[in-house]
Amino acid sequence: MNVHEFQAKQLLARYGVAVPKGKAVTSEAAATKWAAQLDSSIYAVKAQIHAGGRGLAGGVKLTKKRKEVGPLAKSLLGMNLVTHQTGPEGRKVRKVLIEEGVAIKKELYLSLLIDRRTGRPVFIACPEGGMDIEELAKTKPQAIHKEYIDPSSGLQAFHGRNLMLSMGLHVMGPQVAKSFMGLLGNLYRFFMEKDASQVEINPLVITEDQKLIALDAKVIFDDSALARHADVLKLRDLNEEEKLEIEASKHGLNYVKLDGTIGCMVNGAGLAMSTMDLIKLAGGEPANFLDVGGGASEETVKAAFKILLKDKKVKGIFVNIFGGIVRCERIAGGIIAAAKEMHVRVPIVVRLQGTNAEQGRELLDKSGLKLKATTDLWEGAQSVVELTSGPTKKGRAA
Ligand code: GDP
Ligand code: MN
């Protein structure tokens, strides 16, 4: 689960991380009022959306004039902000963070996340922080340092020294060095106690007066651990989440929206992954990952089908069910029930195999629905790609 920058900063501040004084507001009037309480020579007005790249996209404004804070907030509120992380559709700005600005001497990059390969927390550090770390990773990967932490012994002083050297902080004076060591400890404690999967401070800045401040903060929490963090769960912002994913979670469906055009309905995560692979192999692009689960009922299938049809990008649907625990005639019943309730505007290919597959296919045949039934997965994948985008260009892998 993602949270907003202002929420991440509030949480981190409780762990002793230095952040600028600020407040999130939803109106021009509130922005003006809060700015009056800040006594600063620079003010920052920052759009709050669950995406980075705001600086380059015009979502972060700085001003030296306090009276400009309100109008700047107004210009951002309600706008649709498109950054390289939002996709072309962008995100609507509903809140802005008004902060006391900071006089920056140097911008650094620091993050802490789980490294999947080693299964360990890893600090990632770079002396060149700021706006385009992704670009830097491509053009100058040697500038990025990784420090792996063994979770059984935790963060040690040598990790800190290595990170400090890699970021060039050892020449910045004792105050910066001391704050940096403290910061690492605070971030690590936060990360472990709150079951975060990522904490990214970009930029971490050294100010003209030698302070180390988290000027931006992005925190992602492990969804599987949210049950033990009621305080974190309260920060969830449904406006920032995919509508169809929220709808799917209400029905206990594992659904992830993707950018392609072929809607997939599959039982079992492994089969869903291989279905997506075969669609791609046949030259198509899956519109989603959807695992209806091992014990899918007619109701869940119906809900899943509706969700697929609600996605405007979907040009065809591929139902791929292997009946093990689930019985194929129930799946067929769900498809028929959903199709009766909704206008089906796209071709459907159904591959049913396993328990009662024959019965399921008979039901579909008799239903009068226009769909193509098959028993072969590869044939099904090719058919749905053909029906949505013409003949397949790619064949089976050479
Ligand atoms: P992001 O682009 O979405 O990651 O947004 P950031 O919060 O990282 O802001 C982008 C950039 O704006 C930073 O890298 C800074 O250069 C600049 N910035 C943000 N806040 C301040 C501030 O208080 N003072 C100054 N001088 N620059 C700031
Ligand atoms: Mn940033």
Side-chain angles (χ1 to χ4, degrees):
M1 186 186 101
N2 283 335
V3 295
H4 286 294
E5 174 194 4
F6 75 93
Q7 297 168 321
K9 282 177 167 168
Q10 277 168 9
L11 289 170
L12 288 171
R14 276 188 231 144
Y15 278 75
V17 175
V19 298
K21 201 168 154 192
K23 187 174 180 169
V25 298
T26 52
S27 71
E28 179 183 2
T32 306
K33 200 170 153 198
W34 172 246
Q37 291 174 47
L38 288 176
D39 185 23
S40 187
S41 53
I42 319 175
Y43 300 87
V45 182
K46 308 179 76 177
Q48 298 298 290
I49 55 169
H50 282 189
R54 297 163 304 166
L56 293 172
V60 175
K61 308 277 186 202
L62 299 173
T63 178
K64 288 187 175 158
K65 296 185 185 137
R66 188 189 288 167
K67 65 175 192 316
E68 282 180 1
V69 169
L72 282 175
K74 190 183 173 198
S75 73
L76 290 176
L77 283 165
M79 88 179 274
N80 196 47
L81 190 60
V82 180
T83 82
H84 67 265
Q85 288 186 9
T86 59
E89 65 277 12
R91 290 276 171 81
K92 186 169 176 189
V93 180
R94 294 165 203 268
K95 278 199 174 91
V96 288
L97 173 60
I98 313 295
E99 278 184 343
E100 58 183 16
V102 170
I104 301 175
K105 188 150 99 189
K106 187 158 175 43
E107 298 194 40
L108 313 156
Y109 176 93
L110 182 66
S111 65
L112 175 56
L113 42 104
I114 298 289
D115 175 62
R116 303 227 172 230
R117 193 175 52 82
T118 55
R120 292 181 173 193
V122 58
F123 271 104
I124 298 183
C126 180
E128 293 170 52
M131 296 205 242
D132 223 344
I133 191 75
E134 290 90 350
E135 189 57 30
L136 197 76
K138 277 187 223 141
T139 55
K140 215 173 155 192
Q142 69 279 10
I144 295 171
H145 177 82
K146 292 183 185 166
E147 195 67 25
Y148 297 88
I149 317 286
D150 181 339
S152 60
S153 46
L155 182 69
Q156 304 291 323
F158 75 88
H159 295 126
R161 285 193 295 271
N162 286 344
L163 285 161
M164 190 148 62
L165 284 168
S166 72
M167 292 173 99
L169 294 183
H170 54 300
V171 295
M172 293 297 211
Q175 192 186 335
V176 169
K178 193 162 170 258
S179 317
F180 183 68
M181 292 304 231
L183 171 68
L184 292 178
N186 293 337
L187 287 180
Y188 189 74
R189 204 161 47 86
F190 169 81
F191 186 83
M192 297 307 265
E193 283 182 15
K194 293 291 179 193
D195 291 306
S197 56
Q198 186 188 316
V199 179
E200 185 187 59
I201 314 290
N202 184 31
L204 170 67
V205 300
I206 302 174
T207 63
E208 292 294 350
D209 54 354
Q210 295 293 92
K211 289 203 181 92
L212 207 54
I213 294 183
L215 208 60
D216 189 9
K218 179 178 173 103
V219 175
I220 304 176
F221 294 94
D222 181 348
D223 289 343
S224 306
L226 285 173
R228 48 187 196 205
H229 300 291
D231 56 333
V232 171
L233 199 53
K234 266 195 244 155
L235 305 178
R236 186 169 178 194
D237 183 351
L238 292 179
N239 283 323
E240 292 285 333
E241 294 181 23
E242 183 57 54
K243 296 275 174 299
L244 292 177
E245 287 182 11
I246 299 170
E247 175 78 20
S249 70
K250 285 185 197 151
H251 297 279
L253 300 164
N254 288 314
Y255 171 87
V256 181
K257 191 173 169 344
L258 302 167
D259 291 330
T261 55
I262 298 173
C264 313
M265 179 155 83
V266 191
N267 66 331
L271 189 58
M273 297 298 277
S274 34
T275 305
M276 289 160 61
D277 282 348
L278 286 190
I279 288 173
K280 284 191 82 99
L281 199 60
E285 285 293 333
N288 64 282
F289 167 93
L290 171 59
D291 171 14
V292 292
S297 67
E298 203 170 300
E299 280 308 306
T300 41
V301 169
K302 203 165 124 184
F305 208 74
K306 282 188 180 170
I307 286 165
L308 294 186
L309 283 171
K310 272 189 202 160
D311 180 353
K312 298 270 182 305
K313 280 192 186 163
V314 164
K315 285 201 205 134
I317 292 179
F318 186 24
V319 181
N320 181 21
I321 301 290
F322 186 83
I325 300 168
V326 64
R327 302 204 310 258
C328 290
E329 88 277 12
R330 284 206 197 162
I331 301 287
I335 296 172
I336 295 165
K340 274 191 188 142
E341 275 179 40
M342 298 193 73
H343 165 64
V344 182
R345 54 184 168 80
V346 296
I348 305 170
V349 175
V350 183
R351 182 236 177 188
L352 291 177
Q353 268 290 19
T355 312
N356 298 349
E358 284 288 301
Q359 263 172 274
R361 278 197 295 274
E362 266 170 42
L363 280 174
L364 290 173
D365 282 345
K366 278 192 252 157
S367 70
L369 284 176
K370 257 200 249 156
L371 48 81
K372 189 177 156 74
T374 172
T375 51
D376 184 80
L377 175 50
W378 174 236
E379 193 183 291
Q382 283 177 307
S383 300
V384 75
V385 173
E386 261 166 46
L387 289 168
T388 51
S389 61
T392 53
K393 290 187 191 72
K394 294 186 200 170
R396 205 190 273 263

